[in-house]
Amino acid sequence: MTHRPAAAPAMMSPVLYACDGAVAIVSIDNPPVNALSLPVRRGLREALGRAVADPAVKAILIVGTGRIFCGGADIREFDRAAAAPSLTDVLDAIEASRKPVVAAVHGAALGGGLELAMACHGRLCATGTRLALPEVTLGLIPGAGGTQRLPRLIPLRDALPMIVMGKPIDAAQADRLELVDQVVAPDALIDSARDYALGLADREVHPVRSRPVNADGDALAIIDGFAQEHRARILGQEAPAAALDALRNAIRIGFDEAVANERTVSLKLRTGPQSVALRHLHFAEREVFKLPGLDGVAARRMERVGIVGAGTMGTGIALAMLSAGLSVMLVEQQPAVLCRARDAIEARLVRDVAKGSMARAQADTALRQLELSDAYQDLGEADLIIEAAYESMGVKQDIFAMLDQVARTGAILASNTSYLDIDAIAAATRRPQDVMGLHFFSPANIMRLLEVVRGRESAPDIIASGLSLARKIGKVPVVAGNCHGFIGNRMLAVRRIEAEAMLAEGATPQAIDRIIEAFGFPMGPFRMADLAGLDLGWSATTSSGATIRERLNEAGRHGQKAGAGFYDYDIAGKAVPSLAADAIVRRYAQDHGIAQRLIDSEEMHDRLFLPMIDEGIRILAEGVALRPGDIDVVWVNGYGWPRHTGGPMHFARAMGLGNLADGLRSIGVAPSPALQKLVASGASLDTLAQSIG
C-alpha cells in the first residue's frame, strides 16, 4: 500500500500516523503490548484530530503494531493520579468523529483495547484474536464505557460473563455474537479494514451509544439471575458486584451518566485493598519466572516425558503433558492400574472435546502420543522422567536408583514428592545434578501451581528446564529450596496443627471450617481432609493412636469415600456433624489431659492464620522462598487462598508486621526471630528476599 507519511516528529511518538490514499492509518506502537499509557492517549487524540481536519482523509483506521492490537491500560499508572486525556475522552472523540473510524484488531484486544475497538464505527478482526474485558481480575471494572457498549453490541447474556467474570472470547465467537463486523485472515486484515472503512465513508454511521441494550427479555431479571447463579464464586469480591451494578445502570439511566458513574467507580476501586492485592498477584505471577543466576541459561530438551506411577497424580501429570503436545511414556507395574489410567486419560480428552476446550484433532494426537509400559527400561529415551509414586522415601529412592540405571545421559529426573527431602532422593543416583522436585497439585492437569524444588546439587539448567516446562504446560511455577514440605505444605502443616489442637480443646470441625470458608477459601481444612482421604499416608500396621487422625482411621473413618471422617456423609455425599467423631475427639482430649472449652471465632481466626503466616516469614528468612510474592503465588494457586486478599505475605503487609507479632503473642505464640527482627528494625518483608539455598 502507498502511504503519505507524516513529517518526522521532534520526538518518537507511541502513535504513528500515515495515509494510504483517503484512509488515515493510526498505529499504536507502544511495545510490548501497546498499553494505553498517557502518551498513547494523547497521540490517539492528536492523530484523530489531524485526520478529521484533513480534507483528503475520508476514513480512519486504528491498528496496533507488533503481536497484538492493544493490551489495555498501563497498570503502572494505577498508582498515580488520573491524567487527561482519559481513555473516555479519546473514545468520546472517536464516536463524535464525522469520519468513520474502524479498528483492525489482531492478536488480542484486552480491557481498554477492547473498549477502544467498541467505540469505533466498525471492527474487523483477524482469525485467532482474543477479546476480553479482564478488569475484574485486577479488582476493577472497565472504566471507559466497556460495561455500557458491550451489552449494546452483543446479547446481554453473553456480555455478563465477559464483564463480571472477565471471560475471554475468540474471533469466531466475536463474529457469531456480532461484536466484530468481519473476521479475516491475519495477512488480509489491514487491506480488508481499509476497504471496509472507505465503504463506511459513503454511509451514515451511528455510534454504539445510540443502541439499546441487547436483551432478549427482562434485562434486570437476566442480570439478577446471573448474579444468583454465580453468587458463591463472586462472594466477597467488590469488582464483580460493581460490574453488576454498572450493567444495571445500562438499563436504568442514560449512557453518558452511566459511563461517568462507571469511571468514578473504577477509579475508586483502583485505590481499594482488593485491587491493590490483585495487582500485587498480577506482577508476582510474572516475577516467578525470573530467577537470579539463570540469565542466559538454556533449558534442556523436553519433548519425550516419562512418568513413573499411574495413580491419580501420575494420570493427571500425563494429561497435563499430553494436552501441551508432549509425548508421554507412562510406566506402572500393576496392569490394572495402568489400564485405569489409560481409560481415565481418554475419558478426560473426550470430555474436553465435548466441552469445546480441545479440538478433536488435538485429542487424537494426544492419545497417539501416549505409550504404556510396565518396564523401567522403556524410559531410556525420555528427556524428562517424573516419579509420581507413593509418598515414601524408601519407595522413591528405589525408583531413582533404577532410573539412574536406565535413563539416558542428560535426562532430567524429577520427583513429584510433596514433602520429602530432594537431596536424599537425589543421593540414590550418581547424577544429583540432574535431579529436582516437580511438585504438582491435584488434580495435576487442572491446578495451576507447580513447585520447582531445587536440590543442593541441582544444575542451573535443570531449574531453567522446570520453569520452561511450566510455561509449556500452562502452569505457574515457584522455585523453592529443599526443606520438609517446601513452601506450601510446610505452612499448611502449621495450620493443620493449630486446627487439630483447637479440635482437641473443644472447637468443632464445622466451626473451624466456617472460619476458613468465611475468609474466602473454597473448603475448610476438615472438609478438605475428608475429601482427600484421612488414610493418605496412614498405615494400620504403624498406627498408634497418637493423633486424632490416627484414631479416626483406626475406627474406619477414612473420609468421604468411607462415608465417615471428621464428618458423617449422607447418601448424597453431604457433610453433616458427627457424634461418633466428636466422641473420638473427646476421648483423645481426656487421654491427653486437655480441658475442653468454648473457643470464640476471633481466637480461632488468629490461630488458624497468624502462625502459618509467621512460618512464611521463617521460610523467607531461610531462603526457601525467594520473594514474599512467591509465597503468595503458591497459596493462591495451590491452596485456594482468595485472590482478592493477595496471599498470606500480602495479608501480613496489609495488617502490619507489628500487629502480626502482637497477634501471635495474644494467642500464646512467640513470633519468629525473623519477624521480631523486622519489627524492631522497621524493615519490610522484601528485605528477607535472598538467593534460594
Side-chain angles (χ1 to χ4, degrees):
M1 69 178 90
T2 49
H3 291 282
R4 184 155 48 85
M11 295 181 64
M12 184 64 71
S13 169
V15 176
L16 310 178
Y17 186 95
C19 285
D20 180 16
V23 177
I25 300 180
V26 178
S27 303
I28 305 173
D29 185 26
N30 187 26
V33 296
N34 292 331
L36 293 164
S37 61
L38 179 60
V40 171
R41 300 195 301 272
R42 286 174 175 162
L44 285 171
R45 189 170 67 174
E46 290 166 5
L48 184 67
R50 180 177 178 179
V52 169
D54 187 344
V57 171
K58 303 300 181 186
I60 303 160
L61 185 62
I62 299 179
V63 304
T65 64
R67 295 181 298 106
I68 71 171
F69 172 71
C70 179
D74 187 339
I75 299 176
R76 295 170 297 182
E77 292 184 353
F78 284 7
D79 294 323
R80 308 172 199 160
S86 68
L87 183 58
T88 301
D89 297 332
V90 175
L91 304 193
D92 285 346
I94 288 173
E95 283 198 329
S97 171
R98 63 178 185 271
K99 298 177 181 180
V101 184
V102 171
V105 182
H106 78 288
L110 307 177
L114 181 53
E115 289 181 298
L116 172 63
M118 289 192 293
C120 294
H121 304 108
R123 286 158 294 283
L124 269 72
C125 181
T127 54
T129 300
R130 186 164 61 100
L131 304 99
L133 292 174
E135 284 86 351
V136 289
T137 65
L138 295 177
L140 304 169
I141 63 171
T147 65
Q148 304 305 303
R149 289 188 177 92
L150 187 63
R152 286 171 164 83
L153 281 166
I154 70 174
L156 177 61
R157 295 182 193 276
D158 297 291
L160 275 158
M162 290 185 68
I163 293 171
V164 181
M165 317 295 282
K167 181 182 178 182
I169 61 172
D170 60 21
Q173 292 170 296
D175 189 31
R176 177 179 60 80
L177 296 173
E178 299 184 358
L179 177 56
V180 297
D181 299 294
Q182 292 180 22
V183 175
V184 299
D187 58 0
L189 178 63
I190 300 301
D191 288 343
S192 298
R194 178 198 59 201
D195 294 344
Y196 187 83
L198 282 174
L200 291 182
D202 299 324
R203 296 162 46 192
E204 183 178 3
V205 293
H206 300 283
V208 173
R209 68 171 62 213
S210 65
R211 303 184 185 187
V213 170
N214 185 354
D216 56 344
D218 185 332
L220 288 176
I222 292 171
I223 294 170
D224 291 343
F226 182 90
Q228 184 59 34
E229 179 185 355
H230 297 280
R231 181 178 179 276
R233 185 172 173 185
I234 63 180
L235 188 66
Q237 299 178 55
E238 296 173 352
L244 288 164
D245 284 342
L247 283 161
R248 294 183 181 103
N249 283 342
I251 297 139
R252 291 171 172 162
I253 61 180
F255 183 91
D256 289 336
E257 184 183 355
V259 170
N261 181 275
E262 176 200 80
R263 177 162 173 76
T264 298
V265 171
S266 184
L267 290 174
K268 182 179 179 181
L269 288 171
R270 184 186 293 187
T271 61
Q274 291 192 6
S275 181
V276 171
L278 288 163
R279 297 200 313 265
H280 156 72
L281 281 172
H282 172 84
F283 289 112
E285 288 177 346
R286 284 148 184 79
E287 195 75 11
V288 293
F289 287 95
K290 302 172 185 176
L291 206 69
L294 290 189
D295 291 343
V297 176
R300 297 188 190 181
R301 185 184 75 197
M302 289 177 292
E303 296 172 2
R304 304 180 64 172
V305 180
I307 299 171
V308 178
T312 300
M313 287 305 301
T315 300
I317 295 169
L319 267 166
M321 302 296 168
L322 292 165
S323 298
L326 297 170
S327 297
V328 171
M329 170 66 74
L330 185 58
V331 174
E332 169 62 58
Q333 295 183 318
Q334 299 181 56
V337 174
L338 197 58
C339 184
R340 282 200 301 271
R342 200 269 180 201
D343 290 346
I345 289 169
E346 182 175 15
R348 178 69 198 201
L349 294 172
V350 168
R351 285 200 301 273
D352 287 346
V353 170
K355 290 191 304 182
S357 59
M358 179 180 285
R360 169 76 62 185
Q362 184 184 358
D364 292 343
T365 299
L367 272 179
R368 285 196 302 271
Q369 293 187 150
L370 173 64
E371 296 181 77
L372 308 176
S373 175
D374 61 359
Y376 287 101
Q377 286 76 10
D378 289 337
L379 295 169
E381 297 303 315
D383 303 313
L384 163 66
I385 304 174
I386 302 171
E387 165 272 311
Y390 184 71
E391 193 75 349
S392 158
M393 178 61 77
V395 170
K396 293 182 185 295
Q397 287 179 326
D398 288 347
I399 290 172
F400 272 76
M402 180 66 70
L403 295 178
D404 192 40
Q405 300 297 319
V406 302
R408 68 169 179 81
T409 301
I412 302 167
L413 307 182
S415 175
N416 181 53
T417 180
S418 54
Y419 283 99
L420 300 177
D421 185 343
I422 290 295
D423 292 329
I425 293 171
T429 75
R430 295 164 296 175
R431 49 173 107 179
Q433 73 279 1
D434 294 337
V435 178
M436 67 174 164
L438 287 178
H439 178 207
F440 290 81
F441 286 70
S442 185
N445 56 308
I446 295 174
M447 295 292 286
R448 296 182 69 211
L449 179 64
L450 176 64
E451 279 186 315
V452 178
V453 185
R454 172 185 279 175
R456 184 173 53 250
E457 298 186 57
S458 299
D461 65 342
I462 286 288
I463 304 306
S465 299
L467 298 177
S468 176
L469 176 71
R471 196 183 293 276
K472 174 76 172 175
I473 63 176
K475 302 296 184 187
V476 179
V478 173
V479 176
N482 183 31
C483 68
H484 187 73
F486 317 127
I487 296 173
N489 279 339
R490 177 170 161 181
M491 293 172 67
L492 183 66
V494 173
R495 193 183 77 177
R496 173 176 160 178
I497 289 168
E498 286 294 335
E500 294 190 11
M502 286 191 286
L503 204 62
E505 293 170 26
T508 63
Q510 54 270 29
I512 293 172
D513 282 349
R514 277 197 299 268
I515 295 291
I516 295 292
E517 291 163 10
F519 186 79
F521 282 84
M523 194 174 291
F526 296 116
R527 285 210 300 139
M528 179 63 75
D530 276 359
L531 180 64
L534 300 186
D535 56 345
L536 194 66
W538 174 79
S539 170
T541 58
T542 59
S543 187
S544 62
T547 66
I548 293 172
R549 285 188 185 225
E550 284 195 340
R551 295 195 180 192
L552 289 170
N553 275 308
E554 289 165 3
R557 302 182 66 87
H558 303 310
Q560 187 171 347
K561 63 188 176 185
F566 286 103
Y567 293 90
D568 288 335
Y569 291 86
D570 62 22
I571 193 168
K574 180 182 177 182
V576 294
S578 171
L579 295 176
D582 290 347
I584 290 171
V585 172
R586 281 197 305 273
R587 181 60 185 269
Y588 174 88
Q590 292 169 1
D591 291 346
H592 288 79
I594 300 171
Q596 295 199 316
R597 61 187 175 89
L598 182 66
I599 304 177
D600 64 38
S601 58
E602 183 177 355
E603 180 183 344
M604 281 192 278
H605 178 280
D606 288 350
R607 288 177 66 177
L608 288 167
F609 287 103
L610 303 190
M612 65 165 285
I613 290 172
D614 194 25
E615 190 67 22
I617 294 174
R618 293 179 196 267
I619 286 169
L620 276 171
E622 294 170 12
V624 172
L626 180 60
R627 297 163 283 242
D630 288 5
I631 295 176
D632 292 333
V633 170
V634 165
W635 268 82
V636 166
N637 290 286
Y639 297 87
W641 187 288
R643 288 188 70 87
H644 62 274
T645 68
M649 296 298 99
H650 182 81
F651 187 81
R653 279 200 194 98
M655 76 177 295
L657 298 183
N659 291 332
L660 173 61
D662 290 343
L664 285 162
R665 293 187 186 99
S666 73
I667 57 174
V669 176
S672 65
L675 175 57
Q676 293 183 50
K677 185 176 180 180
L678 287 174
V679 172
S681 65
S684 74
L685 285 174
D686 294 312
T687 62
L688 295 178
Q690 55 186 277
S691 297
I692 294 176

